[in-house]
Amino acid sequence: MWKSIVGIIAAFAALFGLAAKFLGLDQADSSLWVTIPLGIAVVGAVLWLILSHRAIGRLAASRSARYGVNMFALSVIVIFIAVMLNVIVTGKRVQWDTTSNQRNSIAPQSQSVVEALGEEILVTAHIPPEMDRSPLAPINSQIFNGLMEMYRSQSSLVSYRIIDARRNPQDAEGLPSPVQPGDIFVTLGDRTEKVEPYRASNLEEKITRAMIAVTREGESTVYFLTRRGEAIFESDQTGQGLDQLRDALETELYGVETIDLLEAGEVPEDCSVLFIADSSYQFTDADLSALTAYLNRGGQVIACVDIEPLLMGLADSALVPYLEQFGCEVGTDIAIEQSLADISLRGNVSFSYSPDFSTGRFSRTNDITRDLFDPVEIRMARSVSADDLPRGVDADLLLSASPSSWAEQGLDMFKLGRVSVGDDAIQSSVPIAQIFTVEVADHPAVFTPVAPEVMTEAAPTQPLTLIETSPEEVIQEPTEPLEISPVEPDLGLSLDDVPMDPGGSVDGGREPEETEEPEPVPPARILVIGDSTLLADALMVPGLTGNRDFILNAVGYLASETDLIAIRPRDTINTGFTLSPFRMRVLVLILLGMPLVIALMGAVVQSLRRRAA
């Protein structure tokens, strides 16, 4: 009886936990909705196995159990043989990379670029024999062949070759000269791109960049809105510059420029994405008018709105009320993350609270964040909500804090180092980044400059000047009235002279001229992020944070470069280990000694049994 009760409780607990996980209760409310039921299910399953061990043993020893196991094993063998035959026939290479940094497979971005190929691409490497013999060479035939086989496993349109241009100069015909040892070239049709200087650890990144260069038509340009010019990219000791972001964009073959709308007057036509990431930029009416015109022609914008000006007692950016017309509400608050700090021996739990945190709560429905897994580092972010979206505007939440976070509205108390959940509007899962898609035909961007206030009580700043005039000069005599002629003017045309067609038109039946319909305007997109420091050099470290992939994916999405929306190649990490001579001897002793010890123990046991018999 108890066995059945324990089994039923475990089964229902498992079903409840899986249902809670499927419904997302662990993300919307608390993870306890999943962990507690599944924990009960595991404990119940173990108790059921202990109470039912005799019945399980009898079942395992039965003839039906043996037949079932044999049938299952036979089915697995047949399926394995069928899969292997299919692999051999199709020639498709199949591999599973279980390394921590995926060192035995190419990055998702490289896979995306290769899978998008429409014609054969050739990778040529000049590797003379002496490079294979030199341990200091940046590349050898083994490294190159291994990497290119990974590319070929993704597409049969990738081919490669190794040449020795010194012994066989004809193999280097058509390649940019001079061809030096170690040079690598990527050729697609009549376009050839030389791979930039590389190391063995970043060779994949450089080859993938060359592939993008020969497959891309034209260049996309990213503009940074600033009044500081190139100084916006300069990094200081705190790593607050954008130099790493510029380098990452140039690696993706984007052109990077700066622009001051107060001087330029408009966003250039070649602007693929406009970055608003300078917290010191003060928007004027001219700036917002130029931004409005850019959005109404299908512009793509990444806007970062910081909380620092409010914390310093300054006025909020004029961009905040401007974005409200799209249903974007940037909160006058700061996201606070609560995390477990300590658990004492008595069971007392303490928590820590910080505006600086990392989050991996990405949207899995948007192309920008679908494949991201490294968390994004946040430094004092504002909430970005989608509220009362107007017609023609859609919003998609890309990034949010954990369920234990809240948006602190008490900025004065925060500056004193105090926070509390209280009556804050957002008390869980603070939204950090939202992308708004605007159909400008249905909802065009609008900006109305604020009219200057009329001074009613303030005294004029300039003294009044009295102009003396005589009454005769002020009062003018009335002019004589115009005479109306009784004779109608002769215009040289009467109604009898106007030709009329049966339809009643007066144009002589001429067909109206055809007018060309204007081309449809693509939708404008605005990615609003409540923090600009996530773009800073200190946080744009690939492999340590997800900031770089998040921003580059966003740029690729907005610029319609879909093959660039993926995880970028990373520097390979040597996870091997080197044994000292002493450790090598210990390892050999263990490998050879353990079997001998086991054999000796077996012989001793056998001898004792014979004596006992």
Side-chain angles (χ1 to χ4, degrees):
M1 175 180 177
W2 286 108
K3 294 185 293 184
S4 301
I5 293 176
V6 171
I8 292 173
I9 292 175
F12 273 104
L15 291 175
F16 184 86
L18 293 176
K21 180 66 176 179
F22 177 77
L23 296 175
L25 296 181
D26 59 328
Q27 298 181 357
D29 192 359
S30 173
S31 60
L32 297 179
W33 286 99
V34 176
T35 56
I36 291 179
L38 291 183
I40 294 175
V42 171
V43 173
V46 172
L47 290 176
W48 182 84
L49 290 174
I50 295 175
L51 296 174
S52 307
H53 69 281
R54 294 182 179 178
I56 295 174
R58 290 194 300 269
L59 178 62
S62 63
R63 180 180 300 177
S64 59
R66 292 197 300 270
Y67 287 164
V69 172
N70 292 337
M71 183 60 67
F72 176 77
L74 183 61
S75 301
V76 171
I77 293 173
V78 171
I79 294 175
F80 176 76
I81 293 174
V83 171
M84 294 305 298
L85 288 175
N86 185 49
V87 171
I88 294 173
V89 171
T90 58
K92 179 68 174 179
R93 175 179 174 178
V94 180
Q95 66 178 24
W96 290 270
D97 190 357
T98 59
T99 57
S100 60
N101 61 338
Q102 301 293 294
R103 62 179 302 176
N104 295 323
S105 58
I106 59 177
Q109 187 193 50
S110 301
Q111 298 176 16
S112 178
V113 171
V114 170
E115 292 171 355
L117 292 174
E119 55 182 308
E120 184 175 356
I121 194 169
L122 174 63
V123 183
T124 303
H126 174 25
I127 305 177
E130 55 267 22
M131 291 188 66
D132 288 332
R133 295 190 295 267
S134 174
L136 301 179
I139 192 175
N140 55 45
S141 300
Q142 182 180 0
I143 295 175
F144 180 74
N145 289 334
L147 178 59
M148 294 314 302
E149 281 299 319
M150 296 181 194
Y151 279 96
R152 280 186 56 83
S153 67
Q154 302 299 322
S155 174
S156 60
L157 294 176
V158 177
S159 60
Y160 65 95
R161 61 173 180 158
I162 297 177
I163 65 172
D164 186 354
R166 294 178 180 176
R167 296 184 179 181
N168 303 300
Q170 67 276 7
D171 293 340
E173 293 181 0
L175 299 178
S177 59
V179 180
Q180 302 293 335
D183 286 350
I184 302 176
F185 302 89
V186 177
T187 303
L188 179 70
D190 57 352
R191 302 178 63 181
T192 299
E193 183 77 13
K194 181 181 178 180
V195 175
E196 296 179 347
Y198 58 86
R199 306 183 306 273
S201 59
N202 66 353
L203 179 58
E204 179 195 345
E205 177 185 351
K206 301 298 184 180
I207 291 180
T208 299
R209 179 178 181 179
M211 288 182 175
I212 295 173
V214 297
T215 55
R216 175 181 289 180
E217 298 293 339
E219 182 184 71
S220 299
T221 306
V222 176
Y223 282 83
F224 283 81
L225 187 59
T226 181
R227 304 204 199 282
R228 296 186 288 157
E230 294 293 322
I232 190 176
F233 301 114
E234 297 176 359
S235 182
D236 53 17
Q237 295 180 351
T238 61
Q240 295 301 313
L242 302 179
D243 188 57
Q244 292 291 331
L245 176 57
R246 176 174 61 179
D247 291 345
L249 290 170
E250 291 176 346
T251 299
E252 305 276 310
L253 300 180
Y254 292 103
V256 179
E257 302 288 346
T258 61
I259 185 174
D260 183 352
L261 290 180
L262 198 59
E263 297 178 357
E266 64 177 1
V267 180
E269 291 292 336
D270 65 340
C271 177
S272 299
V273 179
L274 178 65
F275 261 98
I276 304 176
D278 188 350
S279 58
S280 64
Y281 195 92
Q282 298 295 326
F283 281 88
T284 64
D285 290 350
D287 295 318
L288 295 178
S289 296
L291 179 61
T292 300
Y294 175 63
L295 290 173
N296 284 337
R297 67 174 195 252
Q300 312 292 306
V301 176
I302 297 179
C304 300
V305 187
D306 290 302
I307 192 65
E308 281 79 1
L310 296 181
L311 295 177
M312 293 186 294
L314 303 176
D316 204 355
S317 171
L319 189 64
V320 173
Y322 177 83
L323 293 173
E324 292 178 356
Q325 62 179 301
F326 308 111
C328 175
E329 181 179 350
V330 181
T332 308
D333 50 34
I334 184 170
I336 302 296
E337 184 68 66
Q338 172 184 278
S339 58
L340 181 64
D342 187 28
I343 300 179
S344 65
L345 296 177
R346 296 182 178 181
N348 297 326
V349 180
S350 61
F351 295 92
S352 62
Y353 308 95
S354 176
D356 302 338
F357 55 91
S358 61
T359 177
R361 293 176 57 82
F362 303 113
S363 168
R364 297 306 177 187
T365 59
N366 190 280
D367 291 339
I368 297 175
T369 54
R370 179 181 293 116
D371 298 324
L372 296 181
F373 53 85
D374 286 334
V376 171
E377 291 289 332
I378 301 295
R379 299 289 182 269
M380 291 199 298
R382 305 173 69 166
S383 65
V384 180
S385 305
D387 185 30
D388 295 332
L389 295 177
R391 180 175 176 268
V393 179
D394 290 326
D396 193 359
L397 176 62
L398 299 184
L399 183 66
S400 62
S402 73
S404 59
S405 65
W406 76 91
E408 175 65 43
Q409 292 180 313
L411 299 184
D412 293 334
M413 298 298 295
F414 173 80
K415 289 187 287 186
L416 298 176
R418 302 176 183 177
V419 293
S420 62
V421 179
D423 298 329
D424 295 306
I426 302 176
Q427 300 187 7
S428 178
S429 303
V430 181
I432 304 297
Q434 303 248 11
I435 186 168
F436 296 83
T437 302
V438 183
E439 297 290 345
V440 293
D442 298 329
H443 187 81
V446 177
F447 173 68
T448 303
V450 179
E453 297 181 358
V454 179
M455 295 183 297
T456 56
E457 299 180 357
T461 57
Q462 299 292 334
L464 295 177
T465 301
L466 179 62
I467 302 176
E468 296 182 359
T469 57
S470 61
E472 290 79 5
E473 293 176 348
V474 175
I475 302 175
Q476 298 180 357
E477 295 182 359
T479 58
E480 296 182 358
L482 297 176
E483 295 183 357
I484 301 177
S485 174
V487 181
E488 296 181 359
D490 184 9
L491 301 179
L493 182 66
S494 65
L495 291 178
D496 296 335
D497 299 328
V498 179
M500 300 290 290
D501 66 354
S505 64
V506 296
D507 59 357
R510 291 177 298 177
E511 296 182 358
E513 297 181 358
E514 295 183 359
T515 58
E516 296 182 358
E517 296 183 0
E519 296 182 0
V521 179
R525 295 185 181 90
I526 312 171
L527 172 56
V528 184
I529 307 174
D531 177 31
S532 68
T533 56
L534 62 85
L535 310 179
D537 291 343
L539 301 181
M540 294 288 288
V541 182
L544 298 180
T545 69
N547 298 37
R548 178 173 176 261
D549 285 326
F550 173 64
I551 293 300
L552 293 182
N553 277 6
V555 174
Y557 179 81
L558 297 178
S560 300
E561 302 282 357
T562 56
D563 57 333
L564 301 183
I565 304 175
I567 309 301
R568 275 85 193 156
R570 304 176 181 177
D571 288 356
T572 57
I573 302 174
N574 185 9
T575 57
F577 63 96
T578 303
L579 292 176
S580 63
F582 173 75
R583 292 180 178 179
M584 179 64 73
R585 288 194 295 269
V586 172
L587 180 60
V588 171
L589 181 62
I590 293 174
L591 293 177
L592 297 179
M594 287 300 293
L596 294 177
V597 172
I598 294 173
L600 181 60
M601 292 176 61
V604 172
V605 172
Q606 184 68 18
S607 173
L608 293 176
R609 286 182 178 179
R610 287 181 178 179
R611 290 182 180 180

